[in-house]
Amino acid sequence: MCDIIIMVINDMEFISLKDCYKIYRNGVTAVARLNLKIEKGEFVFVIGSSGSGKSSIIKMLYREEKPSKGEVIVGGVNVAKLRDSKVYKLRRRIGIVFQDFKLLPNLNVYENVAFPLESFGLKKSEIKTKVHKALDQVGLREKYKSFPRELSGGEQQRVCIARAIVNEPKLLICDEPTGNLDSDTAKEIMNVIEKINKETQTTVIMATHAKEIVNRMKKRVVCIENGVLVYDKEKGTYKTHENTKAI
Amino acid sequence: MKILRLFKTGIRDAFKGVFRNFSLSLAAIFSIVITLLLVTASIILSANLNNITKQIEKDITIVTFMQKDATDKDVDSLKGKLEEVDNIASFTYKSKAEIKKEISNDSDVFNALLSQFDDESVPLKNVFHIKVIDVRYINDTAKTIKGFEEVSAIQYGEGMVEQLVSVFSVIEKITIGVVIAMIVVSAFLISNTIKITIYSRRTEIDIMRLVGTSNFAIRFPHLVEGFIIGALGSIIPILATIYGYTIMYSNLDGYIFSKMFLLIKPYNFVYLISFVLFIIGSLVGMIGSYRAVRKYLKI
């Protein structure tokens, strides 16, 4: 069973949500009848107002939340049916970037990035190579000995990105990665993520509120309102979806 | 190899964890010290009470008086019958001549009185001192013995023995209950203190989960950490048990109040308790960690 999961995830082709619902215990419907397909290597913005359901969608992709109904397929695996004890195998193939960085304050940059690899039981030499490669990709190699408190917000987010990509995932999920950053720093972060997407063909799914970034980058835009998909367009913008109806 | 590396990293992280949150670890260690001191005190009390009751029970004897005119043949016949009784551990025989000699040696008055008789005509009876295996059944055993034709009377403190036995049995039950209660309370206290220590690390556990760390790799360092905290917390109670009890034993010359109440000898006893304390401390430490981590491992 485990071997099958690894094999399928390695061969990650696309993400697919079929008739997907997420209804919380308090009765709130966060996602309703959502159908969405994302191809390998795509860069997709998931936009929508606060409480629209975009975070629930993002969380379902890495099985932090289970769909109430329907299928969520990541790399050929229906994550809704994945046993709890096997979820970590899915997450090892996915990189996650958080709005609040989620860095461990007692570990330096190198240790924070190496943290997942160590817990996977990789060799020290292998960890060193991978960590330095990831730090190079985000432009933080010189600061590998610094602690998070010694870094700016943008630098902390770059450490978070390095940690997300250190295991060379096929899918990078970003949950409002620029939410805590000023516009210049946000641009820098977006450049780093775009570079990763282009150079390594990593699929990027990003939940965001940043209109300026979405409008500038001209990527696929998926808009969720009240849990329903209302807008899905290649090279879409934040402005154009505002008068659309549910599709 | 991968699993070995995980073990190595887990043990390293466990030691780091203990010292990184040292104030919390220290609080947990102190709580373990206090509860284990209570545990060791109740174990020592309970074990000694049981020892004293066992000693007293051992000393209870059925004194069996033979018929006045009992012959050597009757003595042999009664010996044979006593060997057949189930609950008899051992017995000793004293002829009336031996008893006469003992009494005469003890007191000049008796000596003067008894010297008027020869060994055969002395108004004393041959006696068997019988020890029983289980004092609870002493009544039945005494009845059986009294039924033998060679026996004229028996004495074993009827009534008082039963009372003594029932009091001892209550004391034994209470002390065992106290020890069990102390262990349960200590388990609860230790496990909750460690839970607080782990609680401070829920963000770290959360991050570990999200980056794909397996439940084993998350749990293992925390289990080791619980073990270390529990083991460290058991050191002071172990030292207190070994030195405290040995000093108390030698100061009291090995008994309380009278030599009827003998204390258990320290050698072996203190090491056995130390082992129990170490096991309780480390095991409960691990259980506490397991419970705490499990709470934050919800996928």
Side-chain angles (χ1 to χ4, degrees):
Chain A
M1 177 69 188
C2 340
D3 295 337
I4 296 168
I5 291 170
I6 291 169
M7 189 188 78
V8 175
I9 295 171
N10 274 336
D11 194 24
M12 195 174 281
E13 287 296 327
F14 61 92
I15 290 157
S16 158
L17 289 94
K18 289 179 195 164
D19 290 325
C20 186
Y21 284 81
K22 178 66 199 175
I23 303 159
Y24 288 100
R25 279 183 192 167
N26 59 6
V28 172
T29 303
V31 178
R33 209 170 63 85
L34 181 69
N35 287 290
L36 185 67
K37 276 189 181 179
I38 296 168
E39 297 300 321
K40 191 179 175 187
E42 263 194 285
F43 194 124
V44 182
F45 284 116
V46 181
I47 61 168
S49 51
S50 295
S52 60
K54 57 185 188 303
S55 279
S56 296
I57 295 170
I58 293 285
K59 282 180 180 170
M60 281 194 285
L61 294 178
Y62 59 90
R63 244 306 293 279
E64 184 69 352
E65 295 288 353
K66 261 185 178 180
S68 313
K69 222 164 97 180
E71 285 182 349
V72 176
I73 293 167
V74 178
V77 175
N78 188 352
V79 299
K81 287 188 177 164
L82 202 58
R83 273 190 289 161
D84 284 354
S85 59
K86 301 280 178 243
V87 168
Y88 76 94
K89 292 189 174 181
L90 170 83
R91 289 183 184 161
R92 282 182 188 188
R93 295 285 154 187
I94 297 174
I96 310 171
V97 180
F98 306 94
Q99 181 177 2
D100 57 354
F101 323 132
K102 291 200 193 295
L103 299 176
L104 292 166
N106 300 308
L107 304 185
N108 64 28
V109 168
Y110 180 92
E111 290 164 337
N112 261 294
V113 179
F115 180 70
L117 303 180
E118 273 192 356
S119 66
F120 303 165
L122 261 62
K123 279 186 201 163
K124 264 191 177 178
S125 54
E126 212 178 330
I127 292 174
K128 196 177 172 187
T129 317
K130 284 188 174 221
V131 171
H132 283 305
K133 190 181 164 195
L135 287 175
D136 276 342
Q137 280 180 273
V138 298
L140 266 184
R141 184 153 193 170
E142 291 76 36
K143 298 213 168 179
Y144 74 99
K145 278 186 178 169
S146 306
F147 283 87
R149 62 178 176 276
E150 298 162 352
L151 302 174
S152 68
E155 285 170 331
Q156 288 188 49
Q157 190 55 290
R158 282 198 268 166
V159 179
C160 181
I161 296 169
R163 184 183 61 192
I165 61 168
V166 72
N167 203 30
E168 293 162 13
K170 298 281 178 239
L171 170 64
L172 188 63
I173 295 173
C174 309
D175 196 359
E176 303 194 29
T178 58
N180 286 353
L181 306 173
D182 62 66
S183 60
D184 288 341
T185 315
K187 262 184 208 167
E188 272 177 39
I189 293 300
M190 289 313 299
N191 290 341
V192 171
I193 294 172
E194 194 179 17
K195 199 174 123 197
I196 293 164
N197 170 250
K198 276 186 182 158
E199 286 178 1
T200 58
Q201 284 301 298
T202 306
T203 310
V204 176
I205 300 175
M206 183 184 296
T208 187
H209 275 126
K211 282 185 186 181
E212 194 192 322
I213 288 171
V214 174
N215 291 338
R216 181 175 61 84
M217 289 186 69
K218 299 274 188 293
K219 302 285 183 189
R220 181 178 167 191
V221 176
V222 169
C223 178
I224 310 292
E225 286 303 340
N226 298 320
V228 179
L229 178 70
V230 292
Y231 175 78
D232 183 354
K233 197 178 178 202
E234 288 294 331
K235 295 184 181 176
T237 59
Y238 221 107
K239 287 174 194 163
T240 48
H241 85 273
E242 278 166 359
N243 294 320
T244 50
K245 287 180 183 172
I247 53 172
Chain B
M1 277 312 283
K2 224 176 197 183
I3 195 88
L4 277 180
R5 275 197 293 272
L6 277 178
F7 267 103
K8 211 175 122 190
T9 319
I11 291 167
R12 182 201 68 191
D13 289 349
F15 276 97
K16 270 189 187 171
V18 171
F19 293 103
R20 202 174 64 207
N21 303 294
F22 196 64
S23 52
L24 272 174
S25 302
L26 210 61
I29 289 168
F30 270 118
S31 127
I32 293 168
V33 168
I34 290 161
T35 45
L36 288 185
L37 280 175
L38 291 171
V39 169
T40 189
S42 54
I43 291 179
I44 288 173
L45 187 71
S46 148
N48 272 296
L49 273 172
N50 282 331
N51 185 53
I52 289 167
T53 58
K54 290 269 157 22
Q55 291 284 336
I56 292 171
E57 280 179 11
K58 254 192 212 167
D59 288 344
I60 291 170
T61 309
I62 302 175
V63 183
T64 307
F65 298 94
M66 293 190 71
Q67 300 291 357
K68 199 178 170 190
D69 50 359
T71 59
D72 288 348
K73 206 179 154 193
D74 292 332
V75 173
D76 289 339
S77 152
L78 185 57
K79 274 185 186 170
K81 285 177 183 171
L82 290 177
E83 274 162 11
E84 297 292 309
V85 179
D86 284 344
N87 195 31
I88 291 179
S90 65
F91 58 80
T92 53
Y93 168 71
K94 263 185 196 167
S95 67
K96 50 188 177 185
E98 286 171 291
I99 298 167
K100 179 191 162 196
K101 205 176 158 188
E102 270 180 22
I103 298 174
S104 302
N105 287 342
D106 281 353
S107 145
D108 291 339
V109 180
F110 281 123
N111 188 21
L113 189 72
L114 294 172
S115 60
Q116 298 169 26
F117 303 95
D118 62 33
D119 285 353
E120 282 306 309
S121 60
V122 70
L124 294 169
K125 289 174 179 175
N126 298 329
V127 166
F128 278 89
H129 288 269
I130 300 166
K131 300 240 184 243
V132 290
I133 297 169
D134 193 336
V135 82
R136 284 175 297 174
Y137 307 117
I138 196 166
N139 249 345
D140 296 338
T141 313
K143 258 186 205 164
T144 311
I145 296 167
K146 204 177 177 189
F148 297 142
E149 55 185 346
E150 296 86 350
V151 176
S152 69
I154 54 165
Q155 252 181 28
Y156 65 97
E158 299 95 319
M160 200 200 89
V161 171
E162 284 95 343
Q163 275 184 15
L164 203 64
V165 169
S166 68
V167 167
F168 286 164
S169 138
V170 170
I171 290 174
E172 197 178 334
K173 278 175 191 153
I174 290 174
T175 51
I176 290 172
V178 168
V179 169
I180 292 172
M182 283 316 302
I183 291 173
V184 171
V185 168
S186 72
F188 185 73
L189 277 176
I190 295 170
S191 117
N192 271 325
T193 319
I194 289 182
K195 261 173 90 174
I196 295 167
T197 318
I198 303 290
Y199 182 76
S200 67
R201 234 166 297 154
R202 63 193 185 286
T203 317
E204 188 179 323
I205 293 174
D206 211 33
I207 297 170
M208 289 173 104
R209 274 190 326 107
L210 291 172
V211 298
T213 309
S214 66
N215 284 356
F216 168 79
I218 297 175
R219 256 189 213 129
F220 182 67
H222 291 99
L223 282 184
V224 178
E225 196 176 327
F227 175 85
I228 295 169
I229 289 175
L232 286 176
S234 65
I235 290 175
I236 292 177
I238 285 173
L239 292 177
T241 306
I242 294 175
Y243 291 106
Y245 187 74
T246 312
I247 291 167
M248 185 184 83
Y249 185 86
S250 63
N251 280 348
L252 293 173
D253 288 331
Y255 63 89
I256 306 174
F257 309 129
S258 97
K259 287 200 172 165
M260 210 168 100
F261 304 122
L262 290 176
L263 293 168
I264 301 171
K265 285 183 181 156
Y267 182 68
N268 271 359
F269 177 58
V270 285
Y271 297 116
L272 187 72
I273 297 181
S274 303
F275 178 71
V276 170
L277 293 178
F278 179 78
I279 295 293
I280 295 176
S282 48
L283 200 71
V284 171
M286 284 167 78
I287 293 170
S289 296
Y290 181 84
R291 281 177 55 206
V293 176
R294 199 179 57 171
K295 197 178 168 190
Y296 304 115
L297 273 185
K298 300 271 184 305
I299 298 291

